[in-house]
Each structure stands twice: as C-alpha cells, then as structure tokens.
Amino acid sequence: MRFTSLSLENAYGQSTVETETDQSGLFSRNLLPGTWYAQFIPPYESDGGSSPEDIQIEVRNDNEVELGDIFLEERVLLEGYVVAPSGYPLGDVLINAVETGYNGYSYSATSGSDGYFSMRVPDVALSVSLQPSAADLAITRYELSDPNLAPAQFELSGGTLVAGHLVDPEGNPVPFTMIEVRDDSDWLYGVTLSGDDGYFEVRISQ
C-alpha cells in the first residue's frame, strides 16, 4: 500500500508512506493530519491475481480512521486481433500492456497466426504497445483508459521510415549494432540492427 499526501495540516511539502498487510490482510499506519491518496497494490502475478484500487482519505488530529474492507477486483480479459493497415491478420506480434500509475507492472502476450491474443490484466488504465516481427511495420501504441472498452482490432502503423549509416569517429562503418529509438519517458518506438556496412533503417509511428 502507498499513501501519498495531497495536502497536510500544519506542514509543508509532500509525504509518501508505504506499508504492507499481514497474512490476514490487516494493516495500520500512522499518518499526519491531512488529505491522502491511498493506493492498494496487490503482489505481482503474471497470470490471474487482483487489480489495484485507490481511494482518498481524510486524517484528522487524534482521530483513528477506519477504512473497513477494501475489495480488490479480479483482473479482466484483454483480447483482440492484431492486423496490418490492409486489415490482414498478423501473427508473432509482441503485445505489452503496462499499468498507468501504481507500480507500472507489465503484462505480455504474443498474437497467433490469426492475429488473436488474450491476457488477463488489471482493471486500470493501460498503455499497450505492439511490436511487430516484420521490419516494414512500426511499433504502435494504444492508450486504454478502460481495458473493458478495448477495440476488437489493434491496427499496426506503417510508420515513417528513418534510415542512415552508423559510423565511428573516423568515418568507418559500425556493423551489427543494435539501435533503439525511445522518447523521454523511455518508451520504445523502434529497434533495429545496423548491417555490415553500418546502414540501418527503422519505422517509427507518429
């Protein structure tokens, strides 16, 4: 569990307090008076398990706050078909779903020959990336505010071609080097390998 202060009485700044439940699911923690954002984060499990939950609580001087039972919902099924811009189903596409917030846990699956994939994910906002095995398509991202409302089809983007030659300070080609394109949040947008002459090309979705 993680408690983050939204505002504190008679104190400045922000405070974050973390704790764990005992084997019976019980917990207690001393918090400064104020308004707190509480996150209840279950242990990571690759399959099955529960979804995280969050609430806002008010803590007052010399008062004990009884939250009662906090129910963590089961994970939900995220499924769909991965297709090319032409609508043709795509197999061997790596699908990676990452929680937006909480602990940023990630869950993955690979599409079958018919483009279908499925996995159980937390019932929270997710950032989903689809990484094709084909070089003529780009890594494509979907932001899902609710995985229950995910599209039936996930279309990969053809992207924009970025190409060049990788050379050392003397101008000699640098072969067989992995090249990754990431944004300032470290999200992967493209990955490729330079050829024996240092040439590389990668497609980047907009």
Side-chain angles (χ1 to χ4, degrees):
M1 291 164 294
R2 181 182 299 122
F3 299 89
T4 303
S5 65
L6 301 178
S7 62
L8 297 173
E9 295 181 7
N10 304 318
Y12 296 98
Q14 186 180 69
S15 176
T16 299
V17 178
E18 295 187 356
T19 189
E20 295 182 354
T21 62
D22 61 22
Q23 293 182 346
S24 301
L26 299 175
F27 69 92
S28 64
R29 203 72 166 100
N30 291 326
L31 299 175
L32 292 171
T35 302
W36 294 79
Y37 173 60
Q39 294 178 311
F40 302 89
I41 305 171
Y44 178 81
E45 296 179 47
S46 59
D47 190 23
S50 304
S51 298
E53 184 59 80
D54 58 83
I55 60 173
Q56 183 172 305
I57 60 175
E58 301 289 336
V59 179
R60 299 302 177 215
N61 282 311
D62 303 323
N63 284 337
E64 181 177 299
V65 179
E66 175 59 55
L67 298 180
D69 293 333
I70 306 296
F71 294 97
L72 302 183
E73 301 291 340
E74 293 184 352
R75 292 185 190 168
V76 297
L77 183 65
L78 176 63
E79 61 178 341
Y81 288 87
V82 182
V83 298
S86 64
Y88 188 82
L90 294 172
D92 200 28
V93 175
L94 176 63
I95 300 97
N96 193 45
V98 180
E99 294 174 347
T100 302
Y102 300 101
N103 272 10
Y105 290 150
S106 64
Y107 308 85
S108 61
T110 303
S111 63
S113 59
D114 60 352
Y116 178 75
F117 75 91
S118 68
M119 56 180 158
R120 301 202 71 84
V121 297
D123 191 7
V124 298
L126 299 170
S127 184
V128 180
S129 65
L130 298 92
Q131 183 172 343
S133 56
D136 59 343
L137 294 170
I139 295 175
T140 306
R141 286 178 58 187
Y142 284 81
E143 299 296 332
L144 303 181
S145 58
D146 184 347
N148 297 288
L149 302 177
Q153 287 190 339
F154 291 79
E155 181 180 315
L156 285 179
S157 168
T160 300
L161 182 65
V162 177
H165 284 88
L166 188 65
V167 298
D168 64 17
E170 283 73 41
N172 300 310
V174 180
F176 313 121
T177 300
M178 180 176 289
I179 300 165
E180 292 185 348
V181 180
R182 296 179 179 270
D183 64 12
D184 54 6
S185 299
D186 204 36
W187 276 103
L188 181 66
Y189 280 83
V191 59
T192 189
L193 196 69
S194 61
D196 56 5
D197 60 351
Y199 178 78
F200 69 90
E201 60 180 37
V202 62
R203 290 191 170 272
I204 307 299
S205 62
Q206 297 181 348

